[in-house]
Amino acid sequence: MATVISEHHTHDAELRRAQEALAELVNNGDLDRLVQLARLIGSAQDAMSDEMISRMAGMAGDALCLVDRITRAGTAERLLGVAEQIEKTHVMTDLLQSLAGAAEESAHAPTPKGGVGGLWEIIRQPETQQTIQFLILVGKHFRSHRRAHPAEA
């Protein structure tokens, strides 16, 4: 009998804690959000066909295979190394700022004259020659890296 009374008091205490937690959910609006989330999930389940679920499962499987291949090959570590190097040298920030600056400047630049004379004016500018030289060097280095990793047949 004492065991039954002890269990009854334990259940009462658990019930009180549950009521307090439920009251807190109601007071701060979390219960409403949980109900809305449950309705959203229910609607999504109703809207999904078996074909959609199969495609999503296939995509999830493919994503897991890709993650597995990336981890096994050590690609993730190499990508992190490249990302750290890019961050240290501010390459992406500089590139994005350059693109934004070029877009802004080109929007306000006069329309090119066209023809060989207009091209000659652009080519004569030292900045143009430096830019062309830089792009040629990028191509040269890219080509040498590609030669070091020939395509597998």
Side-chain angles (χ1 to χ4, degrees):
M1 180 79 167
T3 307
V4 172
I5 293 173
S6 173
E7 286 178 11
H8 180 70
H9 288 297
T10 304
H11 292 302
D12 285 345
E14 290 174 359
L15 186 58
R16 259 187 265 118
R17 281 196 305 268
Q19 286 174 333
E20 290 169 4
L22 189 57
E24 182 64 28
L25 288 172
V26 169
N27 289 337
N28 64 20
D30 285 344
L31 184 62
D32 289 334
R33 285 191 282 278
L34 285 171
V35 169
Q36 290 172 358
L37 184 60
R39 287 182 183 148
L40 176 68
I41 291 171
S43 298
Q45 285 177 329
D46 292 343
M48 285 191 183
S49 66
D50 289 342
E51 181 184 338
M52 289 171 68
I53 292 171
S54 296
R55 282 196 316 249
M56 288 176 67
M59 286 185 345
D62 291 345
L64 288 174
C65 287
L66 178 63
V67 168
D68 181 53
R69 288 180 70 184
I70 287 173
T71 346
R72 286 184 189 207
T75 306
E77 290 82 15
R78 289 194 301 271
L79 284 173
L80 286 173
V82 169
E84 287 173 1
Q85 188 63 30
I86 287 173
E87 187 177 344
K88 284 179 190 175
T89 58
H90 306 284
V91 170
M92 286 306 292
T93 306
D94 293 346
L95 177 62
L96 293 174
Q97 288 175 343
S98 299
L99 288 173
E104 179 70 25
E105 192 174 330
S106 70
H108 296 74
T111 305
K113 296 177 185 177
V116 177
L119 186 59
W120 180 251
E121 275 184 43
I122 293 173
I123 290 175
R124 287 184 36 217
Q125 297 174 5
E127 297 86 9
T128 303
Q129 294 173 16
Q130 288 172 336
T131 303
I132 292 171
Q133 182 182 36
F134 177 78
L135 291 174
I136 288 171
L137 290 172
V138 169
K140 174 184 159 187
H141 285 273
F142 184 71
R143 186 177 63 242
S144 68
H145 286 289
R146 293 306 308 145
R147 285 187 180 157
H149 305 286
E152 296 179 13

